[in-house]
Amino acid sequence: MTRMSAFSSPFMLGFDDIERVLDRVSKAANDGYPPYNIERLPKSDDQGDTIRITLAVAGFTRDQLDVSVEESQLVIRGRQVDDKSRQYLHRGIAARQFQRAFVMAEGIEILGADLKDGLLSIDLARPEPERVIRKIEISSGE
C-alpha cells in the first residue's frame, strides 16, 4: 500500500525535501535524552524573532560538547569518557553520549552558545524575510 502525502499535490512544486525532513524529525523525537526547552525570547528590532534552545547537560564540560550546523540541521553532541580510575559504590549517573538534532528553516542564524549551571543554551535568530514580488513578462510565442 502506497502512503499518500500532503505534498504529492500537483500544486505543491519542489516540496519533496520537506517530506524527508518530516520523517527525519519524527524519528529523532523519540529519544528523550537530554531533556530540552525551546523558548521564544522577547523580540529584538535588529534580529527579528529570537529562539533559545536549552539542553540539560549536567556533568558535561565545555570540551565534551560539540555544537555544529550540518546541512540544514543544528546538531548537538555530548561525549563523556568513563573514568576507569574511579571506584563507584553506587553508579546512578552514567557516562553517556548523546546526539540531538534540530532541523532549521532556511535563513535561521546561530547567534551563539553558552554553558552555565549544567544548561547549554543556543540562541538562534530568524530575520524578517523581505517581501519579493517579481513580474514575469509574457512572450507572444513567436
Side-chain angles (χ1 to χ4, degrees), residues 128-134:
E128 292 292 326
E130 293 180 23
R131 268 191 88 124
V132 177
I133 299 174
R134 195 176 104 208

Side-chain angles (χ1 to χ4, degrees), residues 37-62:
N37 292 335
I38 300 176
E39 62 183 303
R40 184 181 316 273
L41 300 179
K43 201 163 195 158
S44 166
D45 292 333
D46 60 333
Q47 292 173 330
D49 281 341
T50 303
I51 299 167
R52 176 171 290 157
I53 300 172
T54 304
L55 287 87
V57 292
F60 285 86
T61 65
R62 184 170 278 117

Side-chain angles (χ1 to χ4, degrees), residues 24-141:
R24 194 174 355 152
V25 168
S26 66
K27 290 175 187 171
N30 294 335
D31 184 18
Y33 181 77
Y36 64 93
N37 292 335
I38 300 176
E39 62 183 303
R40 184 181 316 273
L41 300 179
K43 201 163 195 158
S44 166
D45 292 333
D46 60 333
Q47 292 173 330
D49 281 341
T50 303
I51 299 167
R52 176 171 290 157
I53 300 172
T54 304
L55 287 87
V57 292
F60 285 86
T61 65
R62 184 170 278 117
D63 295 334
Q64 295 169 331
L65 296 168
D66 178 59
V67 179
S68 60
V69 176
E70 299 174 11
E71 295 177 11
S72 62
Q73 291 189 100
L74 171 65
V75 180
I76 301 112
R77 292 183 180 91
R79 293 183 183 89
Q80 287 180 322
V81 178
D82 201 6
D83 187 356
K84 303 291 185 193
S85 67
R86 297 176 118 174
Q87 185 179 21
Y88 293 96
L89 300 177
H90 170 75
R91 182 83 187 257
I93 303 171
R96 188 170 178 186
Q97 295 185 20
F98 72 87
Q99 177 174 312
R100 171 85 54 197
F102 298 89
V103 178
M104 299 186 310
E106 190 172 317
I108 297 282
E109 300 171 6
I110 309 295
L111 300 177
D114 183 50
L115 180 63
K116 182 178 179 185
D117 298 330
L119 298 173
L120 175 65
S121 298
I122 303 162
D123 290 349
L124 304 98
R126 169 184 253 157
E128 292 292 326
E130 293 180 23
R131 268 191 88 124
V132 177
I133 299 174
R134 195 176 104 208
K135 181 109 172 126
I136 308 297
E137 293 296 324
I138 303 172
S139 66
S140 64

Side-chain angles (χ1 to χ4, degrees), residues 9-33:
S9 167
F11 299 108
M12 303 287 286
L13 302 175
F15 289 92
D16 306 345
D17 291 337
I18 293 177
E19 188 170 13
R20 284 190 289 271
V21 168
L22 290 174
D23 286 341
R24 194 174 355 152
V25 168
S26 66
K27 290 175 187 171
N30 294 335
D31 184 18
Y33 181 77

